[in-house]
Amino acid sequence: MKTKRVNRRDFFRLSATAGVSAMLIPGVKAAHVSRTTANENEIPVRTLGRTGVKLPILSMGVMRADNPNVVRAAYNSGIFHFDTAHGYQNGKNEEMLGKFFTGKPRDSFFIATKGKFDYPLKDNFEETFEELVDQSLKRLNMDHVDLLYTHALGKVEKVKDERVIALLKKLKADGKTRFLGFSTHDGKPELLDAAIEAGIYDVILMSYNFKLSNLKETDEAIVRAAKAGIGLVAMKTMAGGVEDAEGKKKINSEACLKWVWQNEHITTAIPGFSNYDELEECLAAARNPQLTAGEQEYLASLCEQEMLYCQQCGRCKSQCPEHLPIPDIMRAYMYAYGYKYSRMSKETLAELDLPSDICKNCETCQVTCPSGFDVSAKIAAITPVMQVPNEFLT
């Protein structure tokens, strides 16, 4: 679909921030992290909020990676922030990182992991979540992580829950993590404001890309969070990984990353590269992060085009008679058809406890998605993955 002129102007205006305001240093170094790289491999670094840690603008989201050689290539290239989670690959992701980093100087890498909790909180929340963290540390073969996120928060009450805050403070006081944060797929500015009010979150890992429908409001909230000393890390930077709704044409990942880095308050991005070609594309962008006019034109041309990135706005929930968790189902669809990672799609759906006869009671879908998604068709296309044995999934 051709982009309307007014939207192209808005896109350029919102993209034209201060540029890549990062330090370029010959040999990437961070507070508590000592790494050096060759001059030709220089990557800009930025400070992660009040933590004082300096990280390269490019980090590694390890979610899809199952080859330690790709981790080694990233590490040798000057990347030293690696992001994983308790649930990735049913724990094998953390185990892979644990084996890789065993024997390496602890101050040569910066590890973040994440843990989910059910809400409303159960009586045994504290015990269960602390056991989860301990299991993650055991898998990672570490006595602490650098950054612990509560995973995939989407409501203000979760961010500000007093029991959650008390437990996170305890985990930090016990030395199991240096810094605290939460991750969110929802991209709601009110979550950033809630983090400011809570006062304990050092870092927020958030969806951030050129397709955001509430970009102006999000950027304003990012400024407020940065002024409060919160470090911002970007995920979902590729807006689904493909240009088209069918998932057939790979997106220009370099342009996507460069667009993110134009926001000076984003410390680093964690693209989920899982092979050498994807790593090289990300490194090429990081070593030359200025967004070109041609790349701006390219991204602007996609602004009104239907892709696979769900805005997680939640409007569909009230429209659906069954109140299905449609944003999460759409995220699972993106994992399979955009990222080509059907295992993560199945894991995401498994957490939703969906009925086996999903959509059975509706002759026609009553959901009208503002992003143009054919919701019923996507649900029909993705839910069968639940019946596929894991050994047949990518």
Side-chain angles (χ1 to χ4, degrees), residues 15-64:
S15 297
T17 56
V20 181
S21 62
M23 295 185 299
L24 258 176
I25 57 175
V28 177
K29 297 189 86 173
H32 199 71
V33 177
S34 59
R35 291 291 308 280
T36 58
T37 58
N39 287 341
E40 64 269 19
N41 290 338
E42 286 179 351
I43 299 175
V45 301
R46 293 176 176 174
T47 303
L48 186 64
R50 58 173 168 257
T51 72
V53 175
K54 291 181 172 61
L55 296 178
I57 59 173
L58 177 65
S59 299
M60 181 177 183
V62 194
M63 179 181 76
R64 293 190 298 138

Side-chain angles (χ1 to χ4, degrees), residues 14-116:
L14 292 170
S15 297
T17 56
V20 181
S21 62
M23 295 185 299
L24 258 176
I25 57 175
V28 177
K29 297 189 86 173
H32 199 71
V33 177
S34 59
R35 291 291 308 280
T36 58
T37 58
N39 287 341
E40 64 269 19
N41 290 338
E42 286 179 351
I43 299 175
V45 301
R46 293 176 176 174
T47 303
L48 186 64
R50 58 173 168 257
T51 72
V53 175
K54 291 181 172 61
L55 296 178
I57 59 173
L58 177 65
S59 299
M60 181 177 183
V62 194
M63 179 181 76
R64 293 190 298 138
D66 57 6
N67 183 351
N69 291 320
V70 176
V71 177
R72 178 177 292 106
Y75 181 76
N76 290 340
S77 72
I79 293 172
F80 54 78
H81 171 31
F82 296 84
D83 178 278
T84 184
H86 184 85
Y88 291 167
Q89 299 173 19
N90 292 316
K92 292 181 180 178
N93 201 261
E94 288 180 326
E95 291 174 357
M96 177 187 70
L97 286 179
K99 290 177 182 177
F100 175 77
F101 284 112
T102 295
K104 293 179 174 58
R106 184 61 184 86
D107 64 354
S108 71
F109 53 89
F110 187 94
I111 292 290
T113 195
K114 316 179 198 73
K116 285 186 177 180

